[in-house]
Amino acid sequence: MSRIWTIYLSGEIHSDWRERITDGVKAAGLPVELNGPNTVHADSDDCAVAIFGPEPDKFWHDHKSARLNAMRTRTLIQEADIVVVRFGEKYKQWNAAFDAGFAAAMDTPYITLHPTEHDHALKEVNAAAAATARTPEQVVQALAYIINGKMPG
Amino acid sequence: MSRIWTIYLSGEIHSDWRERITDGVKAAGLPVELNGPNTVHADSDDCAVAIFGPEPDKFWHDHKSARLNAMRTRTLIQEADIVVVRFGEKYKQWNAAFDAGFAAAMDTPYITLHPTEHDHALKEVNAAAAATARTPEQVVQALAYIINGKMPG
Amino acid sequence: MSRIWTIYLSGEIHSDWRERITDGVKAAGLPVELNGPNTVHADSDDCAVAIFGPEPDKFWHDHKSARLNAMRTRTLIQEADIVVVRFGEKYKQWNAAFDAGFAAAMDTPYITLHPTEHDHALKEVNAAAAATARTPEQVVQALAYIINGKMPG
Amino acid sequence: MSRIWTIYLSGEIHSDWRERITDGVKAAGLPVELNGPNTVHADSDDCAVAIFGPEPDKFWHDHKSARLNAMRTRTLIQEADIVVVRFGEKYKQWNAAFDAGFAAAMDTPYITLHPTEHDHALKEVNAAAAATARTPEQVVQALAYIINGKMPG
Amino acid sequence: MSRIWTIYLSGEIHSDWRERITDGVKAAGLPVELNGPNTVHADSDDCAVAIFGPEPDKFWHDHKSARLNAMRTRTLIQEADIVVVRFGEKYKQWNAAFDAGFAAAMDTPYITLHPTEHDHALKEVNAAAAATARTPEQVVQALAYIINGKMPG
Amino acid sequence: MSRIWTIYLSGEIHSDWRERITDGVKAAGLPVELNGPNTVHADSDDCAVAIFGPEPDKFWHDHKSARLNAMRTRTLIQEADIVVVRFGEKYKQWNAAFDAGFAAAMDTPYITLHPTEHDHALKEVNAAAAATARTPEQVVQALAYIINGKMPG
Amino acid sequence: MSRIWTIYLSGEIHSDWRERITDGVKAAGLPVELNGPNTVHADSDDCAVAIFGPEPDKFWHDHKSARLNAMRTRTLIQEADIVVVRFGEKYKQWNAAFDAGFAAAMDTPYITLHPTEHDHALKEVNAAAAATARTPEQVVQALAYIINGKMPG
Amino acid sequence: MSRIWTIYLSGEIHSDWRERITDGVKAAGLPVELNGPNTVHADSDDCAVAIFGPEPDKFWHDHKSARLNAMRTRTLIQEADIVVVRFGEKYKQWNAAFDAGFAAAMDTPYITLHPTEHDHALKEVNAAAAATARTPEQVVQALAYIINGKMPG
């Protein structure tokens, strides 16, 4: 099979989980294209005012940037074969849950990635997920199995 | 116009916002059908084990109930004309953001309802929303305008 | 046939074309439900700031109201069997053309209603239309034919 | 990311905005494919009669050509990742608004590009847009950010 | 089951097959709504010129009327549960085959109704059909079985 | 909520599970419309030859009837809010699994109903299900909870 | 633009119109991929019985082959950018009209190609078409204009 | 035609039918990409517990793996041009019937492959199929005909 699998990495931007998945799929030689949102926090907040001009009201400042970022995120989620949604230890991370709901409605399978302490709060998000992982390495193993049928270990 | 508008009230279950919207639309005589999730917290947690049998593992206990609840929530969101998504002062409320993402992907317009302190954390959710309200009464006013063209005051 | 036909009347709000169609279908006893946008110009401009609070910046003032109005117009266009799109003698009327494009993409048939002087400027909009009428009375006659097979005169 | 982004440039054909975007994305080395309508005004008016034969009635002359042009424009809009819709200083430009409505219904994000004097008349079109730009250079900056996360300046 | 089944009767307008089906479902007391095109041949040819004005060119005369009729036929086919497509002994009846293709693409099941002499020419149309009937009475029997489980005789 | 829930009962036709669900929802006063296939085995096998004429080849005898039955089953599954798929103790019951796959692709939630001995063989079908029940009474309890929020016991 | 346009050539198999279009697009250097049905008449009639075994009943002989051919034709029509539907001087050609209806429902633009004598009988098929051509050379000219903006002559 | 056809091979994993099809298309030089589920039985049962951790309850053990496998199978079925569904001599094979139902709902044509003894039990599955084959070689012949128009023998 010559297929390239497109994987969208949604959610937390404050830990190295994307790097660990990137390294893992490279080490495993998996035919994947990894996409995701802009992960430079300050830029994703300020992009629209930097380009289109300032907004004195913080609500519209945020609004303009969120709509600009959405052109990237929606496009990439819509063409993903699989979405990985990461919830870190802190922050509200409502955009991660939003992406999960979006993927669910589009029938795009997604894997959640979060510590067990979030299990109860994420039960609806997990119920619609195709799998729940605890580490980035498990995500890589899942991709290796899905794509190549390779079992871990 | 003889149309009945179907409104789905998603999110927080610990304050009286649904009652205030219910009272408001009744007082205004609006032709709406209000739907929402099961708001009895304990029941929504335990429904599936009560019906289908116990699960020693809390993850699957939650999972079974979340899937059972989803049969209600997905069906009602999918047929809603407008979704109202409420984020209260506390809790993670990831299922509310999930519902917003689901509605966005289905092209169902939604109104967010939350205090200003959540504005930044909800910027992606608000960017895809049709409106952001601060009080249940504003939601009622918005519905009165949408349906009957009635201005507030 | 016991069917009620849902007709959405889009576009110009400064002449009496909606009334003439309303009167015409009533006189003809046609089983139709006529819908349309809020036609009180000032209200459609100011609804959102009246409900959700003022915006010092006119762009966002307009933006909030346009998104609020869209909850009505999108919902009603999406459920229309037929859309009538009226272009009057003056004004840009880009929202009318926007509605036509929206209807075309949804495969909802639409009838344009405009004077001949707009023919060339509207050629793309007319090319995707199911008919082009010059008077509201022709629209009524078209509906009478579509619904009851009744020929004019 | 090896992705090529497909951008459709809709609207005004009487200024050099397409060239400025084309030059800008080339200078920025962006992986984009730029598409658009036939911009030779006379040809887009007369193409169908030149190919299929003359029409004495101008309405059908226009109609035949508009339908022929639509085979190009619809196909390219439907496969676009992002649409840019330009409204110039003059002309009705209803086909630009039509394209915006079409994109909105297809859930394809679009950026409007127009001077501030059109803000009020375009409020519905802008409300459904993902961004509003004032210059072609801002569009290029937006694309650079969306695709590469590159901030301007 | 309180369901009303919507049946669209497409095709030949020169024999009494619609009446025989209408009488048959009435005699059988079936809960059906029967729809179809305008069957007055002259009116379906001339409707648009009678309403919107004459066309010297027969091609556009036909074109305007066909587009007007399509507002009825498309709407009713799209909401039909089952389409019956009748091919009579003579005439080209390309619009009947067109309706069958349309129904096939919409995943609406259809029953063809035609004499055996057309079997070979209609093999593609029949291959996508849910059944092929030879008489209107067989169509009524099929509806009675589909709706009520009633066997013939 | 004045909503009527439409439930499709798919699968086994040799035990009284449909009657037990019918009795249960009646006893519970649930606002449901219960639909299902024709459950008279001989009729569902022979309907098409009885109506349209005999087939010497059993393959086509079956084929004609299966296509006729599909006009009922597809229509009713497509409009169901929830599908219940029953696998009994014996028989292949491939049509039940087919209906489950069909519902899954349509995003219609379904509940499987089967003894534990089938758990492993049905693991793919159950993984896409919203719930797995062991008795018809559990299905009724699930419906009572989904619709009215009523807990069992 | 590096795009390859996919064109499906539907209909008549007894004249050289496909060859003339093939030669024309080659001479014009158009970036097109031309597809179509199997045009060997005897093979398209007998393919299924040759592969899967004989059928004594001509109806099922035809049926099996038509379903086998449909795997090719449906797939290729669904991915076509533009369909050309040819109606020759004779034969019923119901499959061509079926393909046109299928394309119309899929929103795939199509060009009809037929002599003027069929104009009235094809009025519904032409009303949903994007253009009507009289010669294969006109089709080539239309493709050259659509793809490259090249005017004839 | 430079097209690559994507074929998904669903169902039985205990005989060599996939190898025979693979060898056949290679021998025939067909431009196909063959996909399918993971066919290592033990791995497909245990993959999820091997990656995400053990489950004491066999139901959830199966459930986790089935959901993990579904990320592969759903993705590949959804992009298949044609699905081949194999039912072997034994086992329940409900997942094969599930895949057929899924393909039917997605309008993806499928070919069933099974011995005649299953004909009656598979009549609904066959009625929605595009063809029924008895040997892998017939499937190869069908693909050769569909793709290249090549007749067998």
Side-chain angles (χ1 to χ4, degrees):
Chain A
M1 190 170 58
S2 61
R3 193 178 195 285
I4 304 294
W5 290 68
T6 303
I7 315 295
Y8 185 84
L9 305 177
S10 167
E12 194 204 10
I13 59 175
H14 299 94
S15 76
D16 65 347
W17 70 278
R18 280 189 184 80
E19 289 66 31
R20 287 163 64 186
I21 289 180
T22 304
D23 292 348
V25 299
K26 193 174 302 181
L30 297 180
V32 296
E33 169 102 11
L34 299 175
N35 291 325
N38 187 329
T39 57
V40 182
H41 194 158
D43 291 355
S44 79
D45 277 2
D46 301 330
C47 55
V49 297
I51 294 170
F52 301 116
E55 294 293 335
D57 185 333
K58 186 63 165 70
F59 185 88
W60 298 117
H61 177 118
D62 280 351
H63 186 78
K64 283 211 308 194
S65 289
R67 293 200 300 165
L68 180 53
N69 282 299
M71 280 195 271
R72 175 185 180 84
T73 57
R74 292 281 185 88
T75 300
L76 297 179
I77 287 182
Q78 282 175 7
E79 77 185 19
D81 294 310
I82 295 172
V83 176
V84 181
V85 189
R86 164 70 181 166
F87 294 86
E89 270 75 11
K90 35 184 184 167
Y91 303 107
K92 296 289 189 185
Q93 308 176 94
W94 282 321
N95 59 325
F98 180 89
D99 285 355
F102 196 91
M106 305 292 285
D107 263 329
T108 304
Y110 63 88
I111 300 171
T112 56
L113 171 61
H114 62 82
T116 55
E117 71 199 69
H118 288 337
D119 278 3
H120 187 63
L122 282 170
K123 65 181 188 295
E124 288 88 1
V125 177
N126 281 333
T132 295
R134 304 305 184 185
T135 67
E137 288 67 34
Q138 287 179 334
V139 173
V140 175
Q141 290 180 333
L143 294 176
Y145 175 76
I146 291 167
I147 297 172
N148 289 334
K150 190 178 169 305
M151 291 288 276
Chain B
M1 190 171 58
S2 61
R3 193 179 195 286
I4 303 294
W5 291 68
T6 304
I7 315 295
Y8 185 84
L9 305 177
S10 167
E12 194 204 9
I13 59 175
H14 299 94
S15 76
D16 65 347
W17 70 278
R18 281 190 183 79
E19 288 67 31
R20 286 163 65 186
I21 289 179
T22 304
D23 293 348
V25 299
K26 193 174 301 180
L30 297 180
V32 296
E33 169 102 12
L34 299 176
N35 291 324
N38 187 330
T39 57
V40 182
H41 195 157
D43 291 356
S44 79
D45 277 2
D46 301 331
C47 55
V49 297
I51 293 170
F52 301 116
E55 293 293 334
D57 185 332
K58 187 65 165 69
F59 185 88
W60 299 116
H61 176 119
D62 279 352
H63 186 77
K64 284 212 306 195
S65 288
R67 292 200 299 165
L68 180 53
N69 282 298
M71 280 195 270
R72 174 185 181 84
T73 58
R74 292 280 185 90
T75 300
L76 296 179
I77 288 181
Q78 282 175 7
E79 78 185 19
D81 294 311
I82 295 172
V83 176
V84 181
V85 189
R86 163 70 181 167
F87 294 86
E89 272 75 11
K90 35 185 183 162
Y91 302 107
K92 295 291 189 184
Q93 308 176 93
W94 282 322
N95 60 324
F98 181 88
D99 285 356
F102 196 91
M106 305 293 284
D107 262 330
T108 304
Y110 64 89
I111 301 171
T112 55
L113 171 61
H114 61 82
T116 54
E117 70 199 71
H118 289 337
D119 278 5
H120 188 63
L122 282 170
K123 65 182 189 293
E124 288 87 3
V125 177
N126 281 333
T132 294
R134 302 306 183 187
T135 68
E137 286 68 35
Q138 287 179 334
V139 172
V140 175
Q141 289 180 333
L143 294 176
Y145 175 76
I146 291 167
I147 297 172
N148 289 334
K150 189 176 170 308
M151 291 289 276
Chain C
M1 190 170 59
S2 61
R3 194 178 194 285
I4 304 295
W5 291 68
T6 304
I7 314 296
Y8 185 84
L9 305 177
S10 167
E12 193 204 10
I13 60 175
H14 299 94
S15 76
D16 65 347
W17 69 279
R18 281 189 184 81
E19 288 67 31
R20 287 164 63 187
I21 289 179
T22 304
D23 292 349
V25 298
K26 193 174 300 180
L30 297 180
V32 295
E33 168 103 11
L34 298 176
N35 291 324
N38 187 328
T39 56
V40 182
H41 195 158
D43 291 355
S44 79
D45 277 2
D46 301 331
C47 55
V49 297
I51 293 170
F52 301 116
E55 293 294 335
D57 185 333
K58 186 64 166 69
F59 185 88
W60 299 116
H61 176 118
D62 280 351
H63 186 77
K64 283 213 307 195
S65 288
R67 292 200 299 163
L68 180 53
N69 282 300
M71 280 195 271
R72 175 185 181 84
T73 56
R74 293 280 186 90
T75 300
L76 297 178
I77 287 182
Q78 282 174 7
E79 76 185 21
D81 294 310
I82 296 171
V83 176
V84 181
V85 189
R86 163 70 181 166
F87 294 87
E89 270 76 11
K90 35 183 184 166
Y91 301 109
K92 296 289 188 184
Q93 308 176 94
W94 282 321
N95 59 325
F98 180 88
D99 284 355
F102 197 90
M106 306 292 285
D107 263 330
T108 303
Y110 63 89
I111 301 172
T112 55
L113 170 62
H114 62 82
T116 54
E117 70 199 68
H118 289 336
D119 278 3
H120 188 63
L122 282 169
K123 65 182 189 295
E124 288 86 3
V125 177
N126 281 333
T132 294
R134 303 306 184 186
T135 69
E137 287 66 35
Q138 287 179 334
V139 172
V140 175
Q141 290 180 333
L143 294 175
Y145 175 76
I146 292 167
I147 297 172
N148 288 333
K150 190 178 169 305
M151 291 288 277
Chain D
M1 190 170 58
S2 61
R3 194 178 194 286
I4 303 295
W5 291 68
T6 303
I7 316 295
Y8 184 84
L9 305 177
S10 167
E12 193 204 11
I13 58 175
H14 299 94
S15 75
D16 66 346
W17 70 278
R18 280 188 184 80
E19 287 68 31
R20 286 163 64 187
I21 289 179
T22 304
D23 292 348
V25 299
K26 193 173 301 180
L30 297 180
V32 296
E33 168 102 12
L34 299 175
N35 292 323
N38 187 330
T39 56
V40 182
H41 195 158
D43 291 355
S44 79
D45 277 2
D46 301 330
C47 55
V49 298
I51 293 170
F52 301 116
E55 293 292 335
D57 184 333
K58 186 65 166 69
F59 186 87
W60 298 117
H61 176 118
D62 280 350
H63 186 76
K64 284 210 309 194
S65 288
R67 292 200 300 164
L68 179 54
N69 282 299
M71 280 195 271
R72 174 185 182 85
T73 57
R74 292 280 185 90
T75 300
L76 296 179
I77 286 182
Q78 282 175 7
E79 78 185 20
D81 294 310
I82 296 171
V83 176
V84 180
V85 188
R86 164 70 181 167
F87 295 86
E89 272 74 12
K90 35 185 184 164
Y91 302 108
K92 296 289 190 186
Q93 308 176 93
W94 282 320
N95 59 325
F98 181 88
D99 284 356
F102 196 90
M106 304 294 284
D107 263 330
T108 303
Y110 63 89
I111 301 171
T112 55
L113 170 61
H114 61 82
T116 55
E117 69 199 72
H118 289 336
D119 277 2
H120 188 63
L122 282 170
K123 65 182 188 295
E124 288 87 3
V125 177
N126 280 333
T132 295
R134 303 307 183 186
T135 68
E137 287 68 35
Q138 288 179 334
V139 172
V140 174
Q141 290 180 334
L143 294 176
Y145 175 76
I146 291 166
I147 298 172
N148 289 334
K150 190 176 169 308
M151 291 288 278
Chain E
M1 189 170 59
S2 62
R3 192 177 196 287
I4 304 295
W5 291 69
T6 303
I7 314 296
Y8 185 84
L9 305 177
S10 167
E12 193 204 10
I13 59 174
H14 299 95
S15 75
D16 65 348
W17 70 279
R18 281 189 184 80
E19 288 66 32
R20 286 163 64 186
I21 289 180
T22 304
D23 292 347
V25 299
K26 193 174 300 180
L30 297 181
V32 296
E33 169 102 12
L34 299 176
N35 291 324
N38 187 329
T39 56
V40 182
H41 195 157
D43 291 355
S44 79
D45 277 2
D46 300 330
C47 55
V49 297
I51 294 170
F52 301 116
E55 293 294 334
D57 185 332
K58 187 63 165 70
F59 185 88
W60 298 116
H61 176 118
D62 280 350
H63 185 77
K64 284 213 306 194
S65 288
R67 293 200 300 164
L68 180 53
N69 283 299
M71 280 195 270
R72 175 185 181 85
T73 56
R74 292 280 186 91
T75 299
L76 297 179
I77 288 182
Q78 282 175 8
E79 77 186 21
D81 294 310
I82 295 171
V83 176
V84 181
V85 189
R86 163 70 181 166
F87 294 86
E89 270 75 11
K90 36 184 183 165
Y91 302 110
K92 295 290 189 185
Q93 308 177 91
W94 282 321
N95 60 325
F98 180 88
D99 284 355
F102 197 90
M106 306 292 285
D107 263 330
T108 303
Y110 64 88
I111 301 171
T112 55
L113 171 61
H114 61 83
T116 53
E117 71 200 68
H118 288 337
D119 277 4
H120 188 63
L122 282 170
K123 66 181 188 295
E124 288 87 3
V125 177
N126 281 333
T132 294
R134 303 306 184 187
T135 68
E137 287 67 34
Q138 287 180 334
V139 173
V140 174
Q141 289 180 334
L143 294 176
Y145 175 76
I146 292 167
I147 297 172
N148 289 333
K150 191 178 170 305
M151 291 288 277
Chain F
M1 188 171 60
S2 61
R3 191 178 198 286
I4 303 294
W5 291 68
T6 303
I7 315 296
Y8 184 84
L9 305 177
S10 167
E12 193 205 10
I13 59 174
H14 299 94
S15 76
D16 65 348
W17 70 278
R18 280 189 184 81
E19 288 68 31
R20 286 163 64 186
I21 289 179
T22 304
D23 292 348
V25 299
K26 193 174 301 180
L30 297 180
V32 296
E33 168 102 11
L34 298 175
N35 291 324
N38 187 330
T39 57
V40 182
H41 195 157
D43 290 356
S44 78
D45 277 2
D46 300 330
C47 55
V49 297
I51 294 170
F52 301 115
E55 293 293 335
D57 184 333
K58 186 65 165 67
F59 185 88
W60 299 116
H61 176 119
D62 280 350
H63 186 78
K64 284 212 306 194
S65 288
R67 292 200 300 164
L68 179 53
N69 282 299
M71 280 196 270
R72 174 185 181 85
T73 57
R74 292 280 186 91
T75 300
L76 296 179
I77 287 182
Q78 282 175 7
E79 77 186 20
D81 295 310
I82 296 171
V83 176
V84 181
V85 189
R86 164 70 181 166
F87 294 86
E89 271 75 11
K90 34 185 185 164
Y91 302 108
K92 296 289 190 186
Q93 308 176 90
W94 281 321
N95 59 325
F98 181 88
D99 284 356
F102 196 91
M106 305 293 284
D107 263 330
T108 303
Y110 63 89
I111 301 172
T112 55
L113 170 61
H114 61 82
T116 55
E117 71 200 68
H118 287 337
D119 277 4
H120 188 63
L122 282 169
K123 65 182 189 295
E124 288 87 2
V125 177
N126 281 333
T132 295
R134 303 307 183 186
T135 67
E137 287 67 34
Q138 288 179 333
V139 172
V140 174
Q141 290 180 332
L143 294 176
Y145 175 77
I146 291 167
I147 297 172
N148 289 334
K150 191 176 168 307
M151 291 287 277
Chain G
M1 191 169 58
S2 61
R3 192 178 197 285
I4 303 295
W5 291 68
T6 303
I7 314 296
Y8 185 83
L9 306 177
S10 166
E12 192 204 12
I13 58 174
H14 300 94
S15 75
D16 65 347
W17 70 279
R18 281 189 183 81
E19 288 67 32
R20 285 163 65 185
I21 289 180
T22 304
D23 292 348
V25 298
K26 192 174 300 181
L30 297 180
V32 297
E33 169 101 12
L34 299 175
N35 291 324
N38 187 330
T39 55
V40 181
H41 195 157
D43 290 355
S44 79
D45 278 1
D46 301 329
C47 54
V49 297
I51 293 171
F52 301 116
E55 293 293 334
D57 185 332
K58 186 64 165 67
F59 185 87
W60 298 117
H61 176 119
D62 279 350
H63 186 77
K64 284 211 308 193
S65 288
R67 292 200 300 165
L68 180 53
N69 282 298
M71 281 196 270
R72 175 185 182 85
T73 58
R74 293 278 186 93
T75 300
L76 296 179
I77 287 182
Q78 283 175 8
E79 77 185 22
D81 294 311
I82 296 171
V83 176
V84 181
V85 189
R86 163 71 181 167
F87 294 86
E89 271 75 11
K90 35 184 183 164
Y91 303 109
K92 295 290 189 184
Q93 308 176 91
W94 282 321
N95 59 326
F98 181 88
D99 284 355
F102 197 91
M106 306 292 285
D107 263 330
T108 302
Y110 63 89
I111 301 171
T112 55
L113 171 61
H114 61 83
T116 55
E117 70 200 68
H118 288 337
D119 277 3
H120 187 63
L122 281 170
K123 66 180 188 297
E124 289 87 2
V125 177
N126 280 334
T132 294
R134 303 307 184 186
T135 68
E137 287 67 34
Q138 287 179 333
V139 172
V140 174
Q141 289 181 333
L143 294 176
Y145 175 76
I146 292 167
I147 297 172
N148 288 334
K150 191 178 170 305
M151 292 288 278
Chain H
M1 190 170 58
S2 61
R3 192 178 196 286
I4 304 295
W5 291 69
T6 304
I7 315 295
Y8 185 83
L9 305 177
S10 168
E12 193 203 12
I13 59 175
H14 299 95
S15 76
D16 65 348
W17 70 279
R18 281 188 183 81
E19 289 66 32
R20 287 163 64 186
I21 289 179
T22 304
D23 292 349
V25 299
K26 193 174 301 179
L30 297 180
V32 296
E33 169 101 11
L34 299 175
N35 291 324
N38 187 329
T39 56
V40 182
H41 194 159
D43 290 356
S44 79
D45 277 2
D46 301 330
C47 55
V49 298
I51 293 171
F52 301 116
E55 294 293 335
D57 185 333
K58 186 64 164 71
F59 185 88
W60 299 117
H61 176 119
D62 280 351
H63 186 76
K64 284 212 305 194
S65 289
R67 292 200 301 165
L68 180 53
N69 282 299
M71 280 196 270
R72 175 185 181 86
T73 56
R74 292 280 186 90
T75 300
L76 297 179
I77 287 182
Q78 282 174 8
E79 76 185 21
D81 294 310
I82 295 172
V83 177
V84 181
V85 189
R86 163 70 181 166
F87 294 86
E89 270 75 11
K90 35 185 184 165
Y91 303 108
K92 296 290 189 185
Q93 308 177 92
W94 282 320
N95 60 324
F98 181 88
D99 285 356
F102 196 91
M106 306 292 285
D107 263 330
T108 304
Y110 63 88
I111 300 171
T112 55
L113 171 60
H114 61 83
T116 55
E117 70 200 69
H118 288 336
D119 277 4
H120 188 63
L122 282 170
K123 66 182 188 296
E124 288 87 3
V125 177
N126 280 334
T132 294
R134 304 305 184 187
T135 68
E137 287 67 34
Q138 287 179 334
V139 172
V140 175
Q141 290 180 332
L143 294 176
Y145 176 75
I146 292 166
I147 297 172
N148 289 334
K150 189 177 170 307
M151 291 288 277

